[in-house]
Amino acid sequence: MIGRTKRLVWLTFGIIAVGLGTIGVFLPLLPTTPFVLLAAFAFARSSPRLHNWLLQHRVFGPLIENWRKYGAIGPTAKIAGVLSLLAVFLLSVLFHAPAYVLAIQGVVLGLSGLFILTRPSPPDSSVD
């Protein structure tokens, strides 16, 4: 029973991640790549059929392949990711978040941005 419940949780997590990644294709402030990678991770633990579908997908498949082969994030995805991080921080400032929240966000978002920017670009940078 626990195995089945665990698979269902991973499956749900994967479906949500694919949904957010799909929205990210159309909304510049929502990055696609991290959600697609998260979905691949979740589907690998819950549904071989959905995992294979994601790997073969014409838009999402190359993102996963670039990460697997090269640990790479394409330039457009990097820009979108960093802009998203900045947008989150600026929204917190605009909504007058407490100083300690801004400090924590500054550290976490800053390190996340640094991670994104220090990943290599794939050899064929036309694919993000």
Side-chain angles (χ1 to χ4, degrees):
M1 183 67 171
I2 291 177
R4 185 175 179 169
T5 302
K6 194 184 264 187
R7 281 188 61 210
L8 184 60
V9 168
W10 280 118
L11 181 65
T12 303
F13 204 52
I15 290 168
I16 291 168
V18 166
L20 291 171
T22 301
I23 293 168
V25 169
F26 303 102
L27 290 178
L29 287 179
L30 192 62
T32 300
T33 303
F35 289 116
V36 171
L37 294 175
L38 186 59
F41 182 82
F43 287 155
R45 282 144 187 79
S46 62
S47 172
R49 184 177 60 84
L50 288 174
H51 186 251
N52 288 332
W53 167 79
L54 197 57
L55 294 176
Q56 300 302 317
H57 194 276
R58 69 174 184 84
V59 174
F60 299 144
L63 298 173
I64 299 165
E65 191 66 22
N66 281 334
W67 183 257
R68 280 186 168 173
K69 279 187 179 177
Y70 312 108
I73 300 174
T76 304
K78 286 181 188 182
I79 292 168
V82 170
L83 288 176
S84 297
L85 297 173
L86 288 171
V88 167
F89 188 77
L90 289 174
L91 284 172
S92 296
V93 170
L94 289 173
F95 285 111
H96 305 289
Y100 72 92
V101 171
L102 294 176
I104 292 169
Q105 278 188 331
V107 170
V108 172
L109 296 175
L111 290 173
S112 298
L114 185 63
F115 176 80
I116 290 169
L117 293 173
T118 58
R119 298 306 96 203
S121 292
D124 176 14
S125 289
S126 66
V127 176
D128 286 317

